């Protein structure tokens, strides 16, 4: 069925008496056809004299055009009985029963005088709009065609294959976004660049901006918005047209957790209203609420109920927890009365949410009686991890449950408002867990300024539309499909891999958290914990990983057609480049300070690299704002939200080298440089034949002149990457072992590094096959090296299912390998800590075997060992649950460890966890003899996600992420 084909161009018909959004979508579709083909179809609201090919758009029961198209001469519906994919029957009755659903079908026989007809019919007004925008996306128009300047592929013709396509209803009833922390992005952009004429009296987001936002939401099959509300932002309802635009676009308006009853208190509660305290000023506050509720009662809303402070603070009034609960109970009762009086139907039919955010959760758990018809909107911890989910009894509430999630955040322990870096795998895991726990009524996500959270926002909304469908495939598959749509199939797989690596690096430490500082209380930036001296120079490995990532992203950008460069820059390249520069800035600054202390002449060079990294960030942001797409996005991006210290140039070291030539030597594993007069020279970390890894020695200048140097190994089994050279600044010498020549067992040697007038010695120790007890016959996968056994969790030797519970690879990125393993399902009964039996909570299971991972390891030492399990910092399912694992060696004593933090946002353990992307549990064990061991890790509670395991036998933690894996190199 042609839309544009040769000389044929379809006419798009809709009923002018249908909902406003139907006409909007119809005209948008005509524009989309023009974007693809260059030809714009006519759009008509009259169906009196149809001719030629037609696209008919309308809402079931609200469109005479649709009725005319549906009825054949015998008045039988013309919709096919079965979809093209063989799904169950779809007829008019089926469609009418579904909310927000649609059918796209070809009508046969066509209406008189119409050569061919494509019908888009929705069960309601949003369903119709979704169907139209689905056609646009199938045609090649990205939902981000305007918001990220994604160009469609040009086509000479567009045709619709005969048959039927249907979609809906969505899995989550209300799905949308919260525009928040808009001070440094969308507000200045809207007020100064996009729609300054609507911000003449005060900055804010007016109807022109919201119309663009609402179109995007429809294209992403969302239906809800929480408007921008920060201090300095003109409130949503101060623009009279905003509510009308939302209604025209069929967008449900709600408000945030601190804006009850559709009131933006930071703008609308003025000084003349006296104090914001329900204990002393209830009459005035009730009237303030009542006025707004009555004004918006004819629109489609969800009302937030309850009360917090004027902004993101606790509710005033009440001098104890009990008094606050009593006061908040009165607030709820009075709000219900206002809502009841302002609406024709009963208050139980008015959509409402109660969000137990931050301190409100404690009041809710303190006995607050929230009516059963109100949706409980469970917040995450603002850093991507669900803080709490409904209990079994709460799942039975008529109002259901929902989730308030974050992809952007201002608050403790530190903001992340600049670069979007919450991994999609974490979104899938935590929102899927919420859905499994019964939170499926209302999902809203804080997206900051929309940009640059585009892809993460779309993934969240895709998941809300079809939870099972989206999580049945991997995040990499979703990303590859997304990249194909945005940039074409040729580079889609590479783009998906680039983003996966960006998420891994950011999960290990977000760009905004590289200063190792906090916001509440404010602390100064500190030395990054990435080691400069251990783990093969952990800091440099991170810098180099980002460098490789930037190279890959720039190679894709260069290979893409010119017309796709702007979109790729916005959706991929800016974040990758700036994330890399942020790591370089802090790690180079740390290196400059360390090297100045060592007397390296290169200290100043790293100080300069620090400044260059900051300048690159500033230059990239200027380009984004001022040059990209001819300045379309000017004001949208800020590289220093709130001007926090992390966005400044960190302190650097300075070293004034003396005149002349002087050689310095530094050894991996040692912070101090080698002295020439040491009785016991420093030794490189031990080489192990089964974990074959090179070590480094740095030769560097301490003066202004170059230095000629030479290196000599005491034994032929010691291999050097170079044996002589001239160093100007610094040079890294790599040391390895020739295992075919090395003696069996533990052996030692040395390296002598000489320059005119100086000789410095470095010790070398190696362990060759034959020295480890039972190693050759153990069939082990991991071995102790340098006193530790390090394991990536997904590399288990065996996995045993529980009843319930299985271990599955998770899409949450591991901080080192990029992979993690999680226990499934999301909800099951906990196991008792002192046995393998199930705890009697939440529900009973059929068996008493917990899911278990086993790792075959070989230890060189016996005695006391410490087992560190690095987990993703998820939290317990509900307030009365825990999040625990159990670990043992073989049949030895099993230790139970909880990784659930004790408190909320003020808890130091939780703060450490979210900043480092890991909850780290520690247990102590007794190993009676060296040799082969089986390390057993059991999951006792749902929600456990394991990243890495480290056994400290005769070693200690020397790096931020822990030692590199000691898998046996066979």
């Amino acid at each position: 069925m042609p839309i544009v084909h040769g000389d044929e161009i379809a006419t798009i018909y809709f009923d002018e008496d249908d909902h406003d959004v139907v006409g909007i979508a119809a005209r948008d579709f005509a524009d989309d056809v023009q974007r693809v083909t260059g030809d714009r179809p006519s759009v008509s609201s009259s169906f009196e004299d149809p001719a030629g090919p037609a696209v008919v758009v309308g809402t079931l029961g609200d469109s005479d055009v649709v009725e005319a198209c549906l009825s054949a001469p015998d008045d039988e519906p013309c919709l096919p009985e079965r979809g093209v994919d063989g799904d169950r029957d779809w007829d008019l009755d089926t469609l009418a029963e579904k909310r927000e659903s649609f059918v796209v079908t070809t009508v046969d026989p066509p209406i008189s005088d119409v050569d061919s007809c494509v019908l888009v019919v929705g069960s309601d007004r949003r369903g119709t709009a979704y169907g139209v925008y689905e056609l646009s996306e199938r045609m090649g128009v990205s939902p981000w065609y305007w918001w990220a300047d994604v160009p469609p592929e040009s086509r000479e013709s567009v045709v619709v294959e005969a048959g039927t396509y249907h979609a809906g209803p969505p899995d989550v009833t209300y799905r949308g976004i919260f525009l928040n922390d808009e001070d440094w992005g969308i507000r200045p952009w809207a007020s100064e660049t996009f729609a300054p004429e609507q911000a003449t009296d005060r900055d804010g987001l007016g109807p022109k901006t919201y119309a663009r936002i609402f179109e995007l939401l429809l294209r992403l099959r969302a239906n809800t918005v929480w408007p921008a509300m920060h201090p300095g932002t003109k409130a949503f309802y101060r623009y009279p047209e905003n509510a009308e635009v939302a209604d025209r676009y069929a967008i449900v308006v709600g408000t945030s957790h601190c804006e009850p009853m559709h009131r933006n208190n930071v703008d609308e509660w003025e000084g003349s209203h006296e104090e914001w305290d329900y204990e002393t000023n209830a009459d005035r506050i009730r009237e303030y609420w009542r006025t707004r509720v009555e004004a918006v009662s004819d629109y489609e809303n969800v009302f937030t109920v309850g009360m917090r402070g004027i902004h993101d603070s606790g509710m005033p009034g009440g001098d104890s927890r009990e008094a606050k609960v009593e006061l908040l109970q009165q607030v709820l009762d009075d709000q219900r009365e206002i809502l009841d009086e302002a609406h024709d139907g009963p208050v139980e039919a008015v959509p409402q949410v109660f969000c137990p955010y931050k301190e409100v959760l404690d009041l809710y758990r303190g006995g607050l009686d929230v009516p059963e018809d109100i949706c409980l909107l469970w917040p995450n911890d603002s850093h991507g991890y669900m803080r709490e989910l409904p209990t079994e009894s709460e799942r039975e509430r008529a109002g259901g449950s929902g989730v308030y999630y974050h992809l952007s955040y201002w608050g403790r322990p530190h903001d992340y408002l600049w670069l979007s870096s919450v991994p999609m795998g974490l979104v899938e895991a935590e929102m899927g867990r919420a859905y499994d726990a019964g939170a499926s009524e209302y999902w809203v996500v804080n997206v900051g300024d929309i940009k640059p959270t585009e892809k993460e926002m779309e993934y969240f909304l895709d998941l809300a539309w079809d939870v099972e469908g989206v999580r049945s495939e991997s995040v990499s598959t979703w990303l590859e499909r997304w990249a194909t749509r945005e940039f074409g199939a040729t580079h889609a797989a590479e783009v998906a891999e680039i983003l996966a690596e960006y998420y891994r690096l950011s999960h290990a430490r977000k760009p905004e958290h590289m200063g190792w500082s906090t916001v509440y209380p404010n602390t100064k930036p500190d030395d990054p914990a990435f080691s400069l001296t251990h783990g093969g120079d952990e800091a440099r490995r991170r810098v180099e990983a980002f460098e490789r990532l930037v190279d890959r992203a720039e190679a894709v950008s260069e290979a893409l057609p010119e017309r796709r460069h702007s979109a790729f820059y916005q959706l991929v390249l800016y974040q990758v480049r700036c994330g890399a520069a942020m790591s370089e800035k802090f790690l180079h600054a740390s290196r400059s300070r360390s090297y100045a202390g060592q007397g390296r002449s290169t200290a100043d060079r790293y100080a300069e690299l620090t400044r260059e990294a900051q300048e690159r960030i500033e230059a990239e942001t200027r380009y984004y704002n001022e040059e990209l797409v001819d300045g379309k996005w000017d004001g949208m991006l800020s590289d220093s939200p709130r001007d926090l210290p992390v966005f400044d140039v960190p302190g650097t070291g300075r070293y004034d080298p003396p005149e002349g030539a002087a050689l310095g030597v530094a050894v991996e594993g040692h912070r101090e440089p080698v002295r020439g007069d040491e009785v016991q020279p420093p030794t490189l970390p031990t080489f192990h034949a089964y974990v074959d890894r090179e070590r480094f020695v740095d030769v560097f200048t301490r003066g202004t002149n170059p230095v000629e140097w030479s290196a000599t190994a005491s034994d032929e089994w010691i291999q050097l990457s170079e044996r002589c050279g001239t160093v100007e600044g610094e040079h890294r010498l790599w040391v390895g072992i020739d295992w075919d020549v090395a003696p069996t067992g533990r052996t030692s040697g040395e390296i002598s590094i000489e320059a005119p007038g100086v000789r410095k010695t470095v010790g070398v120790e190696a362990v060759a096959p034959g020295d480890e007890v039972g190693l050759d016959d153990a069939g082990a996968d991991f071995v102790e090296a340098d006193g530790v056994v390090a394991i990536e969790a997904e590399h288990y030797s065996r996995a045993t299912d529980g009843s319930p519970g299985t271990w599955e690879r998770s899409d949450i990125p591991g901080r080192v390998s990029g992979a993690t393993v999680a226990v499934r399902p999301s909800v099951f009964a906990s196991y008792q800590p002192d046995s393998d039996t199930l705890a009697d909570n939440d529900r009973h299971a059929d068996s008493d075997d917990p899911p278990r991972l086993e790792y075959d390891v070989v230890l060189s030492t016996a005695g006391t060992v410490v087992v560190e399990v690095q987990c993703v910092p998820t939290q317990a399912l509900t307030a009365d649950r825990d999040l625990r694992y159990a670990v043992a060696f073989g049949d030895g004593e099993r230790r139970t460890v909880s990784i659930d933090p004790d408190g909320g946002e003020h808890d130091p353990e939780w703060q450490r966890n979210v900043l480092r992307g890991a909850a780290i549990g520690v247990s102590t064990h007794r190993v009676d003899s060296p040799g082969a061991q089986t390390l057993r890790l059991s999951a006792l509670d749902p929600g456990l996600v394991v990243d890495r395991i480290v056994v400290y036998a005769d070693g200690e933690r020397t790096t931020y992420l822990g030692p590199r894996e000691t898998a046996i190199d066979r």
Side-chain angles (χ1 to χ4, degrees):
M1 303 292 183
I3 294 177
V4 173
H5 185 67
D7 295 332
E8 292 185 297
I9 301 178
T11 300
I12 302 170
Y13 295 96
F14 73 98
D15 192 325
E16 62 183 3
D17 294 326
D18 205 337
H19 302 278
D20 288 342
V21 72
V22 175
I24 291 171
R27 295 183 184 93
D28 283 349
F29 181 67
D31 293 340
D32 289 342
V33 173
Q34 186 175 26
R35 291 183 181 99
V36 172
T37 67
D39 295 313
R40 189 180 192 279
S42 299
V43 181
S44 175
S45 60
S46 172
F47 204 54
E48 293 181 359
D49 298 306
V55 177
V56 175
V57 175
T59 308
L60 199 62
D62 290 309
S63 172
D64 291 340
V65 176
V66 167
E67 294 300 324
C69 194
L70 286 174
S71 300
D74 58 358
D75 293 327
E76 290 296 323
C78 296
L79 279 173
E81 291 184 355
R82 189 173 294 275
V84 295
D85 54 3
D87 284 352
R88 59 190 176 84
D89 292 352
W90 274 82
D91 55 27
L92 297 183
D93 291 337
T94 301
L95 182 62
E97 295 170 356
K98 307 293 183 182
R99 58 181 169 80
E100 297 187 351
S101 302
F102 63 86
V103 170
V104 178
T105 188
T106 51
V107 180
D108 189 23
I111 299 169
S112 177
D113 298 325
V114 174
D115 298 332
S116 61
C117 180
V118 177
L119 171 65
V120 182
V121 55
S123 62
D124 51 33
R125 59 179 183 159
R126 279 188 290 275
T128 306
Y130 296 155
V132 175
Y133 291 123
E134 177 73 18
L135 265 187
S136 287
E137 186 172 346
R138 294 282 180 125
M139 187 170 58
V141 177
S142 167
W144 300 97
Y145 81 93
W146 191 86
W147 278 95
D149 302 291
V150 179
E153 288 285 353
S154 297
R155 305 179 188 277
E156 292 184 0
S157 63
V158 172
V159 298
V160 177
E161 185 178 359
T164 299
Y165 175 83
H166 51 77
D171 285 340
V172 178
T173 307
Y174 295 98
R175 315 162 307 283
I177 65 171
F178 179 23
L179 298 165
N180 192 221
D181 304 322
E182 68 276 8
D183 309 52
W184 306 276
I186 199 168
R187 186 181 76 193
W189 168 79
S191 302
E192 300 168 19
T193 301
F194 181 62
E197 71 280 4
Q198 295 181 346
T200 54
D201 61 329
R202 185 173 177 184
D203 285 357
L205 278 64
K208 181 179 177 182
T209 302
Y210 274 113
R212 281 293 186 184
I213 294 169
F214 296 157
E215 178 198 338
L216 173 65
L217 291 180
L218 292 177
R219 288 180 183 268
L220 296 175
R221 294 195 281 207
N223 63 8
T224 301
V225 70
W226 285 3
M229 47 70 70
H230 255 219
T233 296
K234 186 176 178 180
F236 182 80
Y237 287 108
R238 285 195 187 271
Y239 293 92
E241 304 94 333
N242 276 354
E244 297 170 8
V245 170
D247 187 57
R248 290 182 60 237
Y249 277 85
I251 296 298
V252 181
V253 179
T255 50
S256 75
H257 50 84
C258 52
E259 300 175 273
M261 308 294 272
H262 273 33
R263 278 292 192 179
N264 180 333
N265 303 314
V266 296
D267 184 24
E268 297 183 308
W269 183 258
E270 298 169 338
S272 60
H273 288 158
E274 301 169 356
E275 61 184 341
W276 180 254
D277 189 332
Y278 210 73
E279 194 170 32
T280 60
N281 200 19
D283 290 343
R284 181 66 63 88
I285 294 173
R286 276 196 299 269
E287 183 58 30
Y288 169 73
W289 286 337
R290 186 186 305 277
T291 302
R292 175 55 45 76
V293 171
E294 291 175 348
V296 303
S297 60
D298 289 337
Y299 295 119
E300 195 173 2
N301 305 293
V302 174
F303 290 95
T304 295
V305 296
M307 188 174 183
R308 296 190 71 217
I310 286 289
H311 195 207
D312 194 353
S313 59
M315 178 187 70
D319 55 5
S320 66
R321 183 192 191 201
E322 293 74 18
K324 284 186 176 292
V325 170
E326 183 178 351
L327 183 60
L328 187 53
Q329 189 68 62
Q330 186 62 54
V331 167
L332 283 177
D333 295 344
D334 291 350
Q335 288 174 336
R336 298 277 283 179
E337 182 178 338
I338 292 170
L339 290 169
D340 192 32
E341 292 173 353
H343 293 85
D344 294 334
V347 68
E348 293 81 6
V350 179
Q352 301 156 67
V353 299
F354 175 80
C355 185
Y357 188 58
K358 294 189 177 180
E359 79 289 338
V360 183
L361 179 60
D362 181 60
L363 299 181
Y364 171 69
R365 291 300 185 206
L368 188 70
D369 182 17
V370 179
E372 288 288 309
D373 59 274
I374 296 177
C375 175
L376 296 178
L377 195 63
W378 300 96
N380 72 345
D381 65 355
S382 304
H383 289 260
Y385 309 97
M386 292 309 303
R387 184 176 174 187
E388 193 170 318
L389 287 165
T391 62
E392 187 174 16
S393 61
E394 287 165 338
R395 293 172 204 155
E396 304 303 317
R397 292 173 55 89
S401 288
V403 171
Y404 169 39
Y405 200 76
H406 288 75
L407 294 172
S408 172
Y409 182 61
W410 168 346
R412 70 177 72 241
H414 199 287
D415 308 358
Y416 58 101
L417 301 170
W418 174 35
L419 300 181
S420 185
S421 56
V422 176
M424 289 183 186
L426 181 59
V427 176
E428 181 274 325
E430 290 296 273
M431 295 308 299
R433 189 160 73 114
Y435 184 81
D436 292 342
S440 61
E441 180 65 16
Y442 197 111
W443 285 11
V444 65
V445 59
N446 187 325
V447 297
D449 304 308
I450 296 178
K451 303 177 72 64
T453 61
E454 298 99 334
K455 51 198 170 295
E456 296 84 4
M457 169 180 159
E458 181 174 354
Y459 184 80
F460 177 94
L461 294 173
D462 259 14
L463 197 62
W465 177 267
D466 181 10
V467 176
E468 293 300 339
V470 172
R471 68 178 179 174
S472 67
E473 63 180 13
S474 67
V475 168
S476 62
T477 299
W478 188 95
L479 274 171
E480 188 169 344
R481 189 172 62 251
W482 169 86
T484 299
R485 185 192 69 194
E486 309 303 71
F487 313 118
T490 302
H491 303 286
E494 174 70 352
V495 172
E497 291 179 8
I498 288 168
L499 289 171
E501 177 68 351
Y502 168 77
Y503 290 131
R504 179 189 74 84
L505 291 166
S506 298
H507 187 55
R509 198 76 183 186
K510 288 184 180 299
E512 297 91 338
H513 299 166
M514 281 299 298
W516 259 259
S517 55
T518 60
V519 174
Y520 303 106
N522 287 327
T523 62
K524 295 180 179 179
D526 200 356
D527 258 335
F530 288 98
S531 177
L532 306 172
T533 55
H534 292 76
D537 192 339
E538 183 186 37
R540 180 159 292 175
R541 289 194 292 114
R542 179 175 173 87
V543 168
E544 290 173 347
F546 259 122
E547 288 174 347
R548 291 190 296 271
L549 192 63
V550 171
D551 288 344
R552 294 173 68 182
E554 290 178 346
V556 171
S557 180
E558 292 170 5
L560 288 171
E562 177 69 28
R563 61 193 182 85
R564 294 196 184 275
H565 284 181
S566 294
F568 188 77
Y569 186 85
Q570 295 171 61
L571 296 172
V572 180
L573 192 55
Y574 177 83
Q575 286 169 277
V576 169
R577 281 178 173 170
C578 289
M582 198 65 161
S583 278
E584 289 179 37
K585 183 175 82 171
F586 280 97
L587 296 177
H588 287 330
S590 176
R591 195 176 296 275
S592 77
R593 296 191 295 270
S594 174
Y595 283 10
Q598 291 181 355
R600 295 201 193 198
S601 63
T602 54
D604 287 1
R605 174 56 183 152
Y606 286 102
E608 180 61 28
L609 289 173
T610 299
R611 291 186 285 272
E612 289 176 3
Q614 176 73 7
E615 290 168 1
R616 289 207 312 276
I617 292 171
E618 294 169 356
E620 295 289 346
T621 307
R622 281 196 303 273
Y623 173 77
Y624 198 124
N625 284 325
E626 299 173 13
E627 299 181 43
L628 187 69
V629 200
D630 297 323
K632 174 181 176 179
W633 300 112
D634 195 7
M636 179 61 84
L637 263 289
S638 169
D639 52 41
S640 57
R642 294 215 292 146
D643 294 324
L644 296 178
V646 74
F647 298 115
D648 298 333
V649 178
T652 56
R654 179 175 177 80
Y655 174 69
D656 293 318
E659 292 292 330
L663 177 71
V665 175
V667 179
E668 178 175 355
H670 298 267
R671 293 181 176 85
E672 298 298 324
V674 181
R675 300 198 311 268
D677 58 351
E678 290 174 294
V679 176
Q680 185 65 41
T683 302
L684 286 166
T686 303
F687 293 86
H688 200 294
Y690 282 98
V691 186
D692 193 9
R693 187 174 287 142
E694 290 185 317
R695 307 297 190 180
F696 69 83
V697 174
D698 286 344
V699 292
F700 57 88
T701 56
R702 300 172 61 92
T704 58
N705 296 342
V707 177
E708 293 185 0
W709 61 273
S710 64
T712 305
S714 62
D715 299 273
E716 61 179 340
W717 50 267
I718 301 174
Q719 298 177 322
L720 303 176
S721 58
E722 295 96 4
R723 293 188 176 272
C724 61
T726 300
V727 60
E728 294 185 72
E730 63 187 12
H731 179 73
R732 181 152 286 179
L733 178 67
W734 291 99
V735 182
I737 304 298
D738 184 346
W739 297 107
D740 292 332
V741 179
T744 299
R746 182 175 293 272
T747 189
S748 61
E750 63 181 30
I751 303 168
S752 296
I753 300 173
E754 298 182 71
V758 64
R759 179 178 182 272
K760 300 190 178 186
T761 303
V762 176
V764 179
E765 292 188 354
V767 179
D771 189 51
E772 300 302 325
V773 178
L775 179 60
D776 293 331
D777 300 323
D781 297 308
F782 303 93
V783 66
E784 179 186 335
D786 244 7
V788 300
V789 180
I791 302 167
E792 298 299 331
E794 71 274 14
H795 297 157
Y796 49 82
S797 304
R798 287 168 301 282
T800 303
D801 291 346
S803 298
T806 62
W807 289 99
E808 298 177 9
R809 186 178 175 116
S810 169
D811 281 334
I812 302 175
R815 300 189 305 159
V816 175
S817 70
T820 53
V821 288
V823 65
R824 308 289 191 198
S826 299
V827 179
F828 63 80
S830 295
Y831 291 87
Q832 296 284 9
D834 55 352
S835 69
D836 288 347
T837 58
L838 289 161
D840 187 17
N841 60 11
D842 208 54
R843 68 178 178 84
H844 289 285
D846 299 328
S847 179
D848 58 3
D849 295 327
R852 186 172 65 246
L853 297 173
E854 294 185 348
Y855 301 88
D856 292 333
V857 305
V858 170
L859 297 178
S860 304
T861 54
T864 299
V865 300
V866 174
V867 177
E868 176 185 279
V869 180
Q870 300 181 15
C871 301
V872 176
T874 53
Q875 298 185 41
L877 190 65
T878 62
D880 59 350
R881 302 286 291 273
D882 204 341
L883 186 57
R884 304 156 304 149
Y885 64 84
V887 64
F889 282 94
D891 296 326
E893 185 176 3
R894 191 173 73 168
R895 303 291 189 185
T896 298
V897 180
S898 171
I899 59 165
D900 196 37
D902 293 333
E905 63 176 344
H906 300 282
D907 179 17
E909 179 186 2
W910 170 80
Q911 293 187 1
R912 286 193 300 271
N913 289 352
V914 296
L915 287 173
R916 67 191 177 188
I920 299 178
V922 176
S923 57
T924 303
H925 304 260
R926 177 74 186 177
V927 176
D928 293 332
S929 59
Q933 313 282 340
T934 297
L935 178 66
R936 292 175 173 165
L937 178 71
S938 300
L940 303 181
D941 297 289
L944 187 69
V945 185
V946 184
D947 182 7
R948 313 189 73 223
I949 303 166
V950 182
V951 180
Y952 292 97
D954 190 27
E956 59 183 13
R957 171 181 278 275
T958 56
T959 59
Y960 172 61
L961 299 173
R964 290 174 287 178
E965 189 174 49
T966 61
I968 294 175
D969 183 4
R970 298 188 188 280

